[in-house]
Tab-separated table of all heavy atoms in Angstrom:
chain	number	residue	atom	x	y	z
T	7	HIS	N	18.574	5.386	-3.597
T	7	HIS	CA	19.052	4.261	-2.776
T	7	HIS	C	18.373	2.964	-3.220
T	7	HIS	O	17.242	2.683	-2.841
T	7	HIS	CB	18.755	4.537	-1.301
T	7	HIS	CG	19.419	3.571	-0.369
T	7	HIS	ND1	20.026	3.970	0.811
T	7	HIS	CD2	19.581	2.224	-0.426
T	7	HIS	CE1	20.521	2.920	1.435
T	7	HIS	NE2	20.254	1.846	0.702
T	8	ILE	N	19.104	2.218	-4.018
T	8	ILE	CA	18.559	0.938	-4.502
T	8	ILE	C	19.719	-0.028	-4.692
T	8	ILE	O	20.846	0.392	-4.955
T	8	ILE	CB	17.780	1.130	-5.828
T	8	ILE	CG1	17.157	-0.184	-6.284
T	8	ILE	CG2	18.675	1.746	-6.909
T	8	ILE	CD1	16.168	-0.018	-7.427
T	9	HIS	N	19.450	-1.325	-4.527
T	9	HIS	CA	20.489	-2.332	-4.724
T	9	HIS	C	20.178	-3.117	-5.999
T	9	HIS	O	19.542	-4.155	-5.973
T	9	HIS	CB	20.588	-3.223	-3.496
T	9	HIS	CG	20.963	-2.439	-2.276
T	9	HIS	ND1	22.247	-1.960	-2.074
T	9	HIS	CD2	20.238	-1.975	-1.244
T	9	HIS	CE1	22.285	-1.263	-0.952
T	9	HIS	NE2	21.071	-1.245	-0.430
T	32	PRO	N	24.300	2.058	-3.194
T	32	PRO	CA	25.351	1.913	-2.189
T	32	PRO	C	25.814	0.461	-2.103
T	32	PRO	O	25.024	-0.461	-2.312
T	32	PRO	CB	24.661	2.310	-0.880
T	32	PRO	CG	23.279	2.771	-1.247
T	32	PRO	CD	22.981	2.201	-2.587
T	33	ALA	N	27.084	0.273	-1.767
T	33	ALA	CA	27.580	-1.080	-1.512
T	33	ALA	C	26.913	-1.592	-0.239
T	33	ALA	O	26.758	-0.865	0.736
T	33	ALA	CB	29.099	-1.046	-1.334
T	34	PHE	N	26.530	-2.865	-0.273
T	34	PHE	CA	25.810	-3.408	0.886
T	34	PHE	C	26.161	-4.874	1.084
T	34	PHE	O	27.074	-5.414	0.477
T	34	PHE	CB	24.294	-3.194	0.693
T	34	PHE	CG	23.491	-3.385	1.946
T	34	PHE	CD1	23.829	-2.698	3.106
T	34	PHE	CD2	22.404	-4.242	1.979
T	34	PHE	CE1	23.088	-2.871	4.269
T	34	PHE	CE2	21.665	-4.423	3.136
T	34	PHE	CZ	22.005	-3.740	4.281
T	106	GLU	N	27.113	2.363	1.692
T	106	GLU	CA	26.526	2.936	2.866
T	106	GLU	C	27.238	2.383	4.101
T	106	GLU	O	27.164	1.196	4.398
T	106	GLU	CB	25.017	2.646	2.919
T	106	GLU	CG	24.658	1.159	2.793
T	106	GLU	CD	23.157	0.906	2.692
T	106	GLU	OE1	22.398	1.300	3.586
T	106	GLU	OE2	22.763	0.325	1.667
T	135	LEU	N	27.523	8.347	2.500
T	135	LEU	CA	26.142	7.866	2.649
T	135	LEU	C	26.100	6.939	3.865
T	135	LEU	O	26.827	5.948	3.923
T	135	LEU	CB	25.704	7.117	1.385
T	135	LEU	CG	24.341	6.422	1.401
T	135	LEU	CD1	23.227	7.372	1.799
T	135	LEU	CD2	24.053	5.831	0.031
T	137	HIS	N	24.281	4.417	6.652
T	137	HIS	CA	23.240	3.441	6.989
T	137	HIS	C	23.069	3.457	8.511
T	137	HIS	O	24.029	3.214	9.243
T	137	HIS	CB	23.701	2.056	6.523
T	137	HIS	CG	22.907	0.907	7.065
T	137	HIS	ND1	21.930	0.272	6.332
T	137	HIS	CD2	22.953	0.282	8.261
T	137	HIS	CE1	21.412	-0.710	7.061
T	137	HIS	NE2	22.011	-0.730	8.239
T	140	HIS	N	18.741	-0.827	11.531
T	140	HIS	CA	17.306	-1.114	11.425
T	140	HIS	C	16.788	-1.734	12.723
T	140	HIS	O	15.598	-1.951	12.876
T	140	HIS	CB	17.035	-2.087	10.275
T	140	HIS	CG	17.160	-1.468	8.923
T	140	HIS	ND1	16.403	-0.401	8.511
T	140	HIS	CD2	17.979	-1.753	7.876
T	140	HIS	CE1	16.724	-0.059	7.272
T	140	HIS	NE2	17.686	-0.863	6.865
T	169	ASP	N	20.863	8.052	6.181
T	169	ASP	CA	19.720	7.373	5.569
T	169	ASP	C	19.008	6.465	6.573
T	169	ASP	O	19.511	6.206	7.651
T	169	ASP	CB	20.183	6.557	4.365
T	169	ASP	CG	19.177	6.655	3.229
T	169	ASP	OD1	18.005	6.937	3.501
T	169	ASP	OD2	19.578	6.460	2.075
T	170	HIS	N	17.845	5.997	6.164
T	170	HIS	CA	16.977	5.159	7.008
T	170	HIS	C	16.554	5.907	8.271
T	170	HIS	O	16.369	5.296	9.326
T	170	HIS	CB	17.662	3.842	7.417
T	170	HIS	CG	18.265	3.087	6.278
T	170	HIS	ND1	17.623	2.869	5.091
T	170	HIS	CD2	19.470	2.472	6.152
T	170	HIS	CE1	18.400	2.184	4.290
T	170	HIS	NE2	19.533	1.924	4.898
T	211	ARG	N	11.922	7.726	-0.936
T	211	ARG	CA	12.185	6.717	-1.936
T	211	ARG	C	11.284	5.538	-1.673
T	211	ARG	O	10.664	5.434	-0.632
T	211	ARG	CB	13.641	6.304	-1.920
T	211	ARG	CG	14.028	5.664	-0.618
T	211	ARG	CD	15.383	5.034	-0.753
T	211	ARG	NE	15.659	4.355	0.494
T	211	ARG	CZ	16.175	4.954	1.549
T	211	ARG	NH1	16.464	6.224	1.507
T	211	ARG	NH2	16.398	4.277	2.640
T	213	VAL	N	12.273	2.136	-2.531
T	213	VAL	CA	12.961	0.851	-2.491
T	213	VAL	C	14.062	0.927	-1.448
T	213	VAL	O	14.764	1.911	-1.368
T	213	VAL	CB	13.603	0.517	-3.853
T	213	VAL	CG1	14.275	-0.835	-3.797
T	213	VAL	CG2	12.573	0.556	-4.943
T	214	ASP	N	14.208	-0.092	-0.660
T	214	ASP	CA	15.255	-0.064	0.363
T	214	ASP	C	15.957	-1.400	0.442
T	214	ASP	O	15.436	-2.427	0.096
T	214	ASP	CB	14.647	0.241	1.717
T	214	ASP	CG	15.693	0.090	2.810
T	214	ASP	OD1	16.746	0.726	2.674
T	214	ASP	OD2	15.464	-0.679	3.733
T	215	GLY	N	17.171	-1.364	0.926
T	215	GLY	CA	17.903	-2.582	1.244
T	215	GLY	C	18.767	-2.333	2.428
T	215	GLY	O	18.945	-1.229	2.848
L	1	ZN	ZN1	20.762	-0.046	1.251
Side-chain angles (χ1 to χ4, degrees):
H7 190 138
I8 183 169
H9 299 286
F34 195 53
E106 54 186 302
L135 174 54
H137 167 100
H140 286 301
D169 219 336
H170 310 314
R211 63 169 184 275
V213 182
D214 172 54

